[in-house]
């Protein structure tokens, strides 16, 4: 049988902050949780214990590849159930980790690919043009590849966002608002390109994927089968694509259901 590669986004797809868990019902009926990330000495991200058991089974049965917009350093804080994945895709496809180490050859290919977009310095300048301290909380650069802002979403001006998104589009960049973070990413920097590379290296015959944000859309479209949860940017926009199933579940319940779907699809169901 051909190998099955499972490529899944992490935040708000498989793992959840306390705020994003979206637990419903009485507290006494809440699922038991497993912390999978600690930041500055405090628990940050969780999966349910049911999802944890399913993830360990998934890692044993497939080539499981975490795919994230996180930098490698941010990804290193996440400890998923099961053995450490041989491959991980970080920085929105800008970095491929092999046994935890950056693949330098892939990084060089990415640098050539993003050269067609406006320089990162120009995109950062545009992001900060008109930004107000009332809603701009932080500004960061990731791996010298893309930038993001941490914002107070309720105070973020819609006209500023529209104008900045239009500028980004005209200069080869993509804007994506995910929770409190506004990402500016070169159009050539995609999770799907890294997925194809890892699939080729592992000899995968089938690819499965999941994700919740606009930056996951190309990943889902590139997989043989894919799913999105009932929350997130893609759900908000009612994004659809052939081969992509939209789940009704949200929060931690969606995380569990996604892993169940992966296992069934890997088994040929």
């Amino acid at each position: 049988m051909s190998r099955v590669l499972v490529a899944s986004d992490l935040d708000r797809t498989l793992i959840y902050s306390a705020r994003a868990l979206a637990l419903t019902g009485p507290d006494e009926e809440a699922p038991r949780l497993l912390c999978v990330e600690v930041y500055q000495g405090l628990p940050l991200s969780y999966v349910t214990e049911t999802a944890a058991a399913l993830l360990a089974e998934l890692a044993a049965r497939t080539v499981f590849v975490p795919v994230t917009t996180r930098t490698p350093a941010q990804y290193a804080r996440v400890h998923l159930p099961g053995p450490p994945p041989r491959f991980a895709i970080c920085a929105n496809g800008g970095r491929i980790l092999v046994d935890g180490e950056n693949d330098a050859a892939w990084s060089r290919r990415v640098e050539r690919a993003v050269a067609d977009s406006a320089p990162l310095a120009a995109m950062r300048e545009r992001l900060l043009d008109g930004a107000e301290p009332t809603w701009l909380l932080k500004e960061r650069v990731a791996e010298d590849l893309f930038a993001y802002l941490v914002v107070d979403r309720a105070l973020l001006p819609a006209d500023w966002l529209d104008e900045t998104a239009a500028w980004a589009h005209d200069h080869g960049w993509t804007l994506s608002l995910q929770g409190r973070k506004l990402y500016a990413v070169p159009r050539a920097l995609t999770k799907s390109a890294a997925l194809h590379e890892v699939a080729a290296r592992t000899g995968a015959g089938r690819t499965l994927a999941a994700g919740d944000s606009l930056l996951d859309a190309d990943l889902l479209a590139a997989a043989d089968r894919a799913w999105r949860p009932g929350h997130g940017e893609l759900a908000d926009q009612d994004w659809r694509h052939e081969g992509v199933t939209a789940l009704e579940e949200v929060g931690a319940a969606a995380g569990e259901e996604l892993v169940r779907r992966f296992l069934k699809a890997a088994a040929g169901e």
Side-chain angles (χ1 to χ4, degrees), residues 50-112:
T50 298
L54 293 171
L55 277 168
E57 182 180 354
L58 184 71
R61 294 189 178 188
T62 68
V63 179
F64 176 63
V65 181
V67 183
T68 180
T69 307
R70 290 173 176 240
T71 65
Q74 292 168 334
Y75 165 71
R77 300 196 305 253
V78 179
H79 300 284
L80 296 172
R86 173 101 197 278
F87 292 93
I89 295 170
C90 296
N92 207 67
R95 299 288 181 258
I96 292 177
L97 305 185
V98 183
D99 294 326
E101 299 295 327
N102 180 56
D103 186 273
W106 176 254
S107 295
R108 289 192 293 269
R109 286 173 56 181
V110 168
E111 289 171 7
R112 292 193 295 269

Side-chain angles (χ1 to χ4, degrees), residues 73-267:
Q74 292 168 334
Y75 165 71
R77 300 196 305 253
V78 179
H79 300 284
L80 296 172
R86 173 101 197 278
F87 292 93
I89 295 170
C90 296
N92 207 67
R95 299 288 181 258
I96 292 177
L97 305 185
V98 183
D99 294 326
E101 299 295 327
N102 180 56
D103 186 273
W106 176 254
S107 295
R108 289 192 293 269
R109 286 173 56 181
V110 168
E111 289 171 7
R112 292 193 295 269
V114 302
D116 291 336
S117 296
L120 173 61
M123 185 69 247
R124 289 181 67 193
E125 182 179 355
R126 185 63 183 83
L127 280 173
L128 297 175
D129 184 22
E132 298 287 346
T134 53
W135 54 264
L136 176 57
L137 307 179
K138 296 178 184 177
E139 186 258 346
R140 295 288 186 269
V141 169
E143 297 291 297
D144 290 324
L145 289 172
F146 63 90
Y148 65 92
L149 308 181
V150 180
V151 302
D152 184 330
R153 188 164 177 163
L155 299 178
L156 185 66
D159 55 349
W160 178 91
L161 183 60
D162 291 342
E163 292 167 6
T164 305
W167 188 96
H169 179 271
D170 292 343
H171 291 80
W173 288 72
T174 297
L175 239 59
S176 174
L177 183 60
Q178 303 176 37
R180 299 194 308 148
K181 291 184 178 179
L182 177 65
Y183 290 94
V185 178
R187 194 172 299 141
L189 187 64
T190 64
K191 294 178 178 181
S192 59
L195 168 67
H196 290 311
E197 176 68 15
V198 175
R201 294 189 190 189
T202 59
R206 283 196 299 146
T207 54
L208 311 175
D212 71 293
S213 79
L214 182 63
L215 293 175
D216 295 316
D218 67 288
L219 174 72
L220 306 190
D224 295 309
R225 290 182 67 182
W227 295 264
R228 65 167 175 82
H231 61 255
E233 265 186 313
L234 298 181
D236 292 344
Q237 298 181 17
D238 194 29
W239 181 84
R240 306 277 174 169
H241 193 279
E242 184 179 359
V244 179
T245 300
L247 301 183
E248 295 183 359
E249 292 85 355
V250 300
E256 281 189 15
E257 182 60 21
L258 286 168
V259 188
R260 290 192 186 94
R261 298 291 182 107
F262 282 146
L263 284 167
K264 290 181 179 179

